Amino acid sequence: MARSSSLLILIGALGATTAAGQDGPGAYKEAPSIAVDHRLHRVGELAPDLPFTSIAGEATSLARYAEGRPLVIAIRDVGCPLSKKYGPRLAEIEQALGDKDVRFLYVNPSEIDTVEQMRAEKAAYGFQGAYVADREGTIARTLGCDRTTDVFLLDGSRTLMYRGAIDDQYGIGFQHEAPRHTYLLRAIDAVLANRTPDVRATTAPGCAVDWSGRDVQPVEPAITYHSRISRIMQQHCQSCHREDGVAPFALETYQQVRARRGAIRQSIETGVMPPWHAGEGSRAFLNDRSLSARDRDALFRWIEDGCLEGDPSDAPRPLVWTEGWEIGEPHAVVTIPDPVSVPAQGAMGYRYQYVKTDFPEDRWIRAMEIRPTHPEVVHHVLVFIEEPPREGETRREIQARWQGGLQGYFAGLVPGQATTMYPEGTAKRLPAGAWLKFQLHYTPNGRAVEDRTQIGFIFADTAPEREMHTSAAMTTRLDIPPGASNHEVKATTTFSRPAVIQSFAPHMHVRGKAYRYELTWPDGTSEVVLDIPRYDFNWQTRYVLREPIRVPAGTKLTCTAWYDNSDGNPANPNPKARVRFGEQTWDEMMIGYFEYWRDE
């Protein structure tokens, strides 16, 4: 009796509609969460061509059924309350996409639902796609199903592009009048446009699927170039390593990857590639470029097994790179006035150029992109809102007026990150008639070139709900002793108003060794939100949070930097120098940039 009562209570909670004021403090509720590492759920991998027979008796397979079209696989359970609630929604989505050539497949892994019940459900909701009684659980288990409301989206090459919730209208212990986030529809729109979905995985509230006691294991495709390695290259390497990309060589074909297998393995083993430096214990980030342990093992196993090419029919669709501006045709473009000559060799200090904009009123920027003429020689570009120095003005006076970019920057570029697109309802203000100061850092690569960098803007039609700000925890009081191998410097800032943090961007120079962002909440508890144990000056990464952090007034942000001024640092220009604050790379900086909006 106790077990039956518990089951009834659970099912009652799943099916309940929360009435305002009726659920007490601590009542359990579960909504979809985007704080999910998609790489741990096989997103981006090839789905095997699994055979199945529908309840109508049609014997086929995933590839033959989809016929090269995107495929939505929806998990079903006749008895689950949330699965029932999402039946009409799935039918609506399927019908709405009827002219967009997207196929639907309904998979029921229940051990107790009968075929008659499945037929009745299919008819009641009006599902048009095939319905499968996945008794053995082969399809659901291979896809990684753990809830009865999971959906999986495959593109035309059977790459898993999204997994998780349909939307967020229904959850455990609540329901809304309408969904706020239509995860599945947005993912389908992205795939139809040959783009990667912004959200690639979520949790999906629903009845848990328990695989214990069921003799079924996920089907694993053989590791070949076409089935596995090509997808890893696309997702982690080709944004730079492609024809006409900023990297020195392309990794777009079997022959190219096989020929570079030694360099690939070395770069992964040393942590040089892919360039990602957030350590364990950090928050999750949308632009995480690191390899999962599963991807790393697959790459090494492929190399050890002789670099098998595999079946070309398993290959992913080639990535389509945007020609011209990635943000689309800009509403306005600002170009530095003077070309910069970059020599074939040697080191270059920072170059600065100023441009006055001519906008008669404030403009709201929802997307921007920095485009050098020769990105292969650009280490980074930062753009600040700052006037040129006045005649006779000293450096100290300039810094007093403009802070020298220490409190924030307007836009930035690093290799692989040239565009900035703000979340819906958010934009950054460009004041009327503002001056833009370009800080340009070049790294000669063996060929002399002439660069003329531009920045393009996409304007919002109206003022946004939220204004994006850039600020920093920083200090100019640097005094790094000669030979110091682990010199620590701290800087803090306290939020006087409630805010929502969207990203972090630490900045040091060549003696930078490690960096950490830590939040201390008003109750005195603290959390390390970004830990960089191996800071690399060559990659000035902007870490964009998967879930922005809401901070109440009184929250303190502490940034800690460590510097290596010893002769054990190969990048150190002079281990015998006492190093102080300065803008050139042989000086040092300590800036913990972050982007936020006010939570009002």
Side-chain angles (χ1 to χ4, degrees), residues 235-487:
Q235 294 163 43
H236 297 279
C237 308
Q238 289 178 13
S239 61
C240 296
H241 287 273
R242 65 177 191 268
E243 193 69 29
D244 298 324
V246 298
F249 52 82
L251 293 172
E252 297 179 289
T253 68
Y254 168 70
Q255 290 78 13
Q256 290 169 343
V257 175
R258 187 180 187 281
R260 299 284 183 184
R261 61 191 181 278
I264 291 170
R265 178 159 198 153
Q266 178 190 37
S267 296
I268 294 171
E269 288 178 336
T270 57
V272 173
M273 291 285 166
W276 186 255
H277 304 97
E280 293 291 329
S282 301
R283 287 285 185 110
F285 298 96
L286 279 174
N287 56 328
D288 187 343
R289 292 181 289 209
S290 64
L291 284 177
S292 66
R294 180 176 167 84
D295 284 345
R296 176 189 170 105
D297 291 346
L299 257 172
F300 289 171
R301 201 179 322 154
W302 177 70
I303 293 172
E304 291 162 3
D305 289 346
C307 302
L308 298 176
E309 182 175 7
D311 186 347
S313 67
D314 287 337
R317 292 188 171 181
L319 296 179
V320 178
W321 302 103
T322 303
E323 292 187 11
W325 296 90
E326 292 184 32
I327 58 173
E329 192 61 32
H331 295 147
V333 176
V334 175
T335 305
I336 60 173
D338 302 314
V340 178
S341 295
V342 182
Q345 55 187 334
M348 293 180 65
Y350 288 179
R351 299 292 190 266
Y352 296 95
Q353 295 202 28
Y354 295 84
V355 183
K356 192 176 191 309
T357 63
D358 57 2
F359 306 120
E361 66 278 322
D362 291 355
R363 292 296 178 95
W364 292 100
I365 311 299
R366 62 180 177 86
M368 48 189 162
E369 178 180 350
I370 297 174
R371 291 189 69 196
T373 311
H374 288 278
E376 71 276 8
V377 298
V378 175
H379 178 273
H380 76 265
V381 176
L382 288 177
V383 180
F384 306 93
I385 296 178
E386 180 178 330
E387 292 179 6
R390 296 169 181 169
E391 186 175 352
E393 192 171 33
T394 66
R395 179 176 173 179
R396 185 181 296 274
E397 290 170 336
I398 296 170
Q399 189 168 312
R401 281 200 302 132
W402 295 106
Q403 300 296 312
L406 300 177
Q407 292 297 334
Y409 62 92
F410 186 72
L413 168 146
V414 295
Q417 289 184 318
T419 64
T420 300
M421 298 184 183
Y422 292 118
E424 189 174 343
T426 306
K428 183 172 275 191
R429 185 172 67 92
L430 177 62
W435 281 89
L436 298 181
K437 170 187 171 183
F438 287 74
Q439 179 194 86
L440 305 129
H441 184 200
Y442 297 97
T443 52
N445 71 347
R447 184 170 69 94
V449 296
E450 190 172 81
D451 179 71
R452 198 167 185 192
T453 291
Q454 299 178 307
I455 184 170
F457 300 117
I458 299 291
F459 299 137
D461 295 331
T462 59
E465 299 172 17
R466 303 177 297 266
E467 179 179 355
M468 185 67 75
H469 301 272
T470 305
S471 190
M474 50 70 59
T475 182
T476 59
R477 296 178 180 178
L478 297 180
D479 186 7
I480 306 172
S485 63
N486 199 42
H487 184 74

Side-chain angles (χ1 to χ4, degrees), residues 95-362:
Q95 184 175 7
L97 293 171
D99 61 346
K100 293 190 176 180
D101 229 14
V102 178
R103 300 219 71 177
F104 279 68
L105 178 67
Y106 300 92
V107 174
N108 188 325
S110 171
E111 297 172 282
I112 59 172
D113 289 352
T114 66
V115 171
E116 289 73 22
Q117 288 175 311
M118 297 178 198
R119 288 195 181 109
E121 177 183 71
K122 187 176 189 297
Y125 294 127
F127 296 151
Q128 299 301 306
Y131 197 119
V132 180
D134 190 24
R135 292 282 188 223
E136 301 299 322
T138 304
I139 298 175
R141 185 78 171 97
T142 297
L143 292 173
C145 163
D146 56 18
R147 296 295 183 99
T148 55
T149 53
D150 278 332
V151 289
F152 302 86
L153 173 63
L154 311 183
D155 71 5
S157 63
R158 299 201 323 277
T159 302
L160 180 58
M161 300 298 290
Y162 169 80
R163 64 141 296 153
I166 298 166
D167 58 39
D168 63 350
Q169 182 171 4
Y170 305 114
I172 297 177
F174 75 91
Q175 69 180 41
H176 300 299
E177 288 187 10
R180 301 171 183 178
H181 301 283
T182 53
Y183 300 114
L184 176 60
L185 276 173
R186 287 176 64 89
I188 292 171
D189 287 343
V191 168
L192 290 173
N194 205 22
R195 292 186 289 104
T196 299
D198 295 331
V199 176
R200 305 190 68 186
T202 75
T203 59
C207 300
V209 178
D210 188 348
W211 296 106
S212 63
R214 298 179 71 172
D215 187 19
V216 57
Q217 294 298 322
V219 176
E220 295 278 1
I223 298 175
T224 68
Y225 174 78
H226 290 302
S227 70
R228 190 85 164 85
I229 306 307
S230 56
R231 288 170 170 82
I232 296 174
M233 294 296 113
Q234 282 190 348
Q235 294 163 43
H236 297 279
C237 308
Q238 289 178 13
S239 61
C240 296
H241 287 273
R242 65 177 191 268
E243 193 69 29
D244 298 324
V246 298
F249 52 82
L251 293 172
E252 297 179 289
T253 68
Y254 168 70
Q255 290 78 13
Q256 290 169 343
V257 175
R258 187 180 187 281
R260 299 284 183 184
R261 61 191 181 278
I264 291 170
R265 178 159 198 153
Q266 178 190 37
S267 296
I268 294 171
E269 288 178 336
T270 57
V272 173
M273 291 285 166
W276 186 255
H277 304 97
E280 293 291 329
S282 301
R283 287 285 185 110
F285 298 96
L286 279 174
N287 56 328
D288 187 343
R289 292 181 289 209
S290 64
L291 284 177
S292 66
R294 180 176 167 84
D295 284 345
R296 176 189 170 105
D297 291 346
L299 257 172
F300 289 171
R301 201 179 322 154
W302 177 70
I303 293 172
E304 291 162 3
D305 289 346
C307 302
L308 298 176
E309 182 175 7
D311 186 347
S313 67
D314 287 337
R317 292 188 171 181
L319 296 179
V320 178
W321 302 103
T322 303
E323 292 187 11
W325 296 90
E326 292 184 32
I327 58 173
E329 192 61 32
H331 295 147
V333 176
V334 175
T335 305
I336 60 173
D338 302 314
V340 178
S341 295
V342 182
Q345 55 187 334
M348 293 180 65
Y350 288 179
R351 299 292 190 266
Y352 296 95
Q353 295 202 28
Y354 295 84
V355 183
K356 192 176 191 309
T357 63
D358 57 2
F359 306 120
E361 66 278 322
D362 291 355

